[in-house]
């Protein structure tokens, strides 16, 4: 099992996710997680979610970070952009059950949340569960290997 507090986590948001991202940051630092914030740093100036989402997805895909947490208004745009990056398994998880399955079955390496559609209390619990639940492996590993084959085909390899 992963040593949870050794996980290197990248977090980021657009303007619509900024307030929730700040709350999650404080919560995760208090839990002892190794967290790096890639912005944005305010809710006032609009920043397009693909800019932050793509930057963090690349950092997770290349191994610089173990996990990513991306927050936009709904959580949807961040999931769409992050899943464009080969090796990323981004999951939009508006509840703890999905957060748990996204880890145990899909080995999700990015969690996306919507700052405008969830309470901070719910979001904190979702993030806690998502960081603690391990990947089950076994039959699920074979399915993830199929996704890697698909990614190679898309790259023309
Ligand atoms: C920004 O207004 C909003 O569209 C964005 O945060 C996100 O919800 C997109 O999916």
């Amino acid at each position: 099992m992963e040593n949870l507090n050794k996980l290197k986590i990248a977090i980021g948001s657009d303007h619509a996710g900024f307030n929730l991202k700040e709350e999650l940051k404080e919560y995760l630092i208090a839990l002892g997680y190794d967290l790096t914030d890639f912005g944005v740093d305010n809710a006032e100036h609009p920043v397009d979610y693909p800019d932050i989402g793509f930057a963090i997805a690349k950092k997770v895909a290349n191994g610089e970070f173990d996990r990513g947490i991306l927050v936009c208004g709904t959580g949807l745009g961040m999931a769409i952009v992050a899943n464009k990056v080969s090796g990323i398994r981004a999951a939009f998880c508006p509840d703890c059950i999905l957060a748990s399955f996204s880890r145990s079955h899909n080995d999700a390496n990015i969690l996306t949340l919507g700052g405008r559609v969830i309470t901070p209390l719910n979001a904190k619990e979702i993030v806690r569960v998502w960081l603690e639940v391990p990947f089950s492996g076994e039959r699920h590993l074979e399915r993830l290997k199929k996704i890697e084959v698909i990614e190679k085909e898309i790259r023309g390899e």
Side-chain angles (χ1 to χ4, degrees):
M1 184 172 158
E2 290 167 304
N3 184 341
L4 294 177
N5 284 0
K6 287 278 190 294
L7 285 178
K8 285 190 70 180
I9 303 166
I11 193 166
S13 74
D14 68 358
H15 56 290
F18 172 75
N19 290 330
L20 180 57
K21 187 253 294 172
E22 291 300 296
E23 292 222 29
L24 293 176
K25 203 168 76 178
E26 193 181 329
Y27 175 66
L28 292 173
I29 288 169
L31 288 179
Y33 282 103
D34 177 354
L35 196 74
T36 305
D37 182 4
F38 290 94
V40 297
D41 62 9
N42 70 81
E44 281 71 49
H45 300 105
V47 171
D48 298 328
Y49 64 82
D51 298 339
I52 302 285
F54 186 47
I56 290 185
K58 283 189 288 185
K59 289 177 189 296
V60 174
N62 72 17
E64 210 178 318
F65 288 84
D66 301 302
R67 304 277 191 91
I69 298 171
L70 297 174
V71 191
C72 60
T74 58
L76 298 174
M78 285 296 199
I80 291 167
V81 66
N83 277 316
K84 298 293 179 199
V85 177
S86 191
I88 290 302
R89 296 174 299 279
F92 168 61
C93 299
D95 65 45
C96 289
I97 294 174
L98 293 175
S100 176
F101 278 119
S102 83
R103 289 289 312 130
S104 61
H105 285 200
N106 311 113
D107 197 18
N109 49 12
I110 286 189
L111 168 68
T112 75
L113 292 166
R116 290 175 173 162
V117 296
I118 196 168
T119 65
L121 185 62
N122 277 321
K124 285 176 191 168
E125 191 60 7
I126 288 165
V127 168
R128 191 186 63 74
V129 167
W130 188 75
L131 289 171
E132 287 179 4
V133 173
F135 178 48
S136 303
E138 299 173 359
R139 68 188 190 281
H140 303 295
L141 188 58
E142 298 308 311
R143 292 161 186 162
L144 295 190
K145 283 184 185 157
K146 288 195 175 190
I147 295 174
E148 282 178 20
V149 170
I150 291 167
E151 288 175 332
K152 279 189 183 157
E153 188 179 320
I154 291 169
R155 291 197 300 266
E157 291 171 15

